[in-house]
Amino acid sequence: MPGADYIYPNVTEVARRGGFLERWRLAEPLGCAYIEIPADFIKNGSEVERTGQEIGSMLTRSSVEHLYEQNTDLPGPLRYLLHTEPAIPRKDRHSRQVTADLRWRDPDWVVAFGDMLLEIEDFLGIPPEIIEIHPGDRRNAHSDIVTAMHTLIAAHWNAFGVEPLVLLEHHRDQGISTGSQMRAFWTVLKRIHPEIAGLAGIALDPWHLHAATKEDFAGVLGEIPPDALRAFHIHSDLRPPSMTDEVPWSQVFEVIGSRPEKPLIKPVVYQKSRVPAAIAFCEEMLAAPRMAYAGPPA
């Protein structure tokens, strides 16, 4: 029995957008509970040619139909996470660097963003259980992001009658990257929209947190409110982690193991050959406390 609910990551060997079944066939033998489906903006030259849209632009319904696949006869257990635009630098057709602007501070932009997600989900045929968003730059106040999360949850309820779990994925080079910033974000969420505290949270990425904090990692990790932590991204710079890494994984998994519910873990590796090793590492770390505190053999 797995010690966590794993999310099978968006590996490079499958169709760049594609559909469900190719990913599910890779995920199911590993016991993964979810698959990851990308929902970023137009991101490369191939997508520009297929859609006629520019790098960094939101997908239209026509573009969704060009980039994704519809699958029929989906297995009942299939659940998925929709991973939205990460706001990383990309090059356009003129080799100019383009970084999508996540404008959580703009209510009209948030509505358009939500509409894009709904178009993807409608085309795929089922809504996601989990949506991951990114903070963008510091022009987005914590209250802007919280209000956007509320808007996305409400939009899904209105469209599909479901309320997905909306998670904020922090990055070391974006507006929310440290433990104190995550704590401040969670304080704002519980103040202005406490009704979504059970439907929102933070996807903690220990590697990014360590990259932003270094030797202060242990203290920073302790600053994050435990009830804000709803998922964990486990990797070592996009490779399977190891106990020889700079990240103190024992501390990380002590936090993960202290959660009252079964942890939700995404191994953030992008080659399918590396996914089993990343999951095995997590399983070993999750089992370690139980082994340490087990009584002597009967």
Side-chain angles (χ1 to χ4, degrees), residues 23-228:
R23 290 176 171 87
W24 186 247
R25 292 185 185 110
L26 294 172
E28 190 176 27
L30 297 178
C32 294
Y34 301 88
I35 55 175
E36 179 181 33
I37 297 290
D40 28 15
F41 301 158
I42 299 297
K43 58 187 177 182
N44 56 40
S46 172
E47 293 191 351
V48 169
E49 291 179 7
R50 294 175 68 184
T51 66
Q53 294 186 250
E54 292 299 322
I55 296 283
S57 56
M58 289 189 193
L59 278 61
T60 64
R61 175 66 185 215
S62 174
S63 296
V64 169
E65 293 175 358
H66 277 93
L67 297 176
Y68 290 90
E69 297 174 6
Q70 285 179 319
N71 299 133
T72 58
D73 299 323
L74 297 176
L78 190 151
R79 297 182 289 175
Y80 75 102
L81 173 149
L82 199 62
H83 182 261
T84 68
E85 173 57 46
I88 59 176
R90 297 181 170 116
K91 289 189 177 181
D92 68 10
R93 68 180 75 186
H94 305 294
S95 296
R96 294 174 300 201
Q97 186 167 286
V98 176
T99 302
D101 183 13
L102 299 179
R103 299 202 304 272
W104 304 120
R105 59 196 177 276
D106 178 350
D108 291 336
W109 183 91
V110 172
V111 170
F113 179 88
D115 287 345
M116 184 193 85
L117 301 189
L118 294 176
E119 291 288 6
I120 294 171
E121 297 156 15
D122 178 68
F123 183 73
L124 291 174
I126 54 175
E129 300 253 344
I130 308 164
I131 296 171
E132 285 184 347
I133 66 171
H134 300 75
D137 63 35
R138 295 192 179 187
R139 289 175 293 176
N140 297 313
H142 295 334
S143 58
D144 297 329
I145 299 171
V146 169
T147 301
M149 287 175 142
H150 181 271
T151 299
L152 292 176
I153 292 168
H156 281 77
W157 177 256
N158 292 334
F160 300 117
V162 300
E163 294 177 313
L165 177 63
V166 180
L167 301 179
L168 182 69
E169 177 185 347
H170 62 97
H171 270 214
R172 61 175 174 166
D173 54 355
Q174 294 192 14
I176 295 179
S177 61
T178 67
S180 60
Q181 290 168 340
M182 290 182 232
R183 184 182 64 224
F185 163 79
W186 193 243
T187 299
V188 170
L189 185 145
K190 296 186 85 169
R191 177 171 56 83
I192 68 175
H193 277 299
E195 73 278 13
I196 69 167
L199 298 167
I202 291 168
L204 181 70
D205 190 314
W207 187 86
H208 273 286
L209 183 63
H210 186 269
T213 60
K214 298 298 183 184
E215 64 273 7
D216 296 328
F217 179 84
V220 169
L221 186 62
E223 291 180 336
I224 305 168
D227 59 335

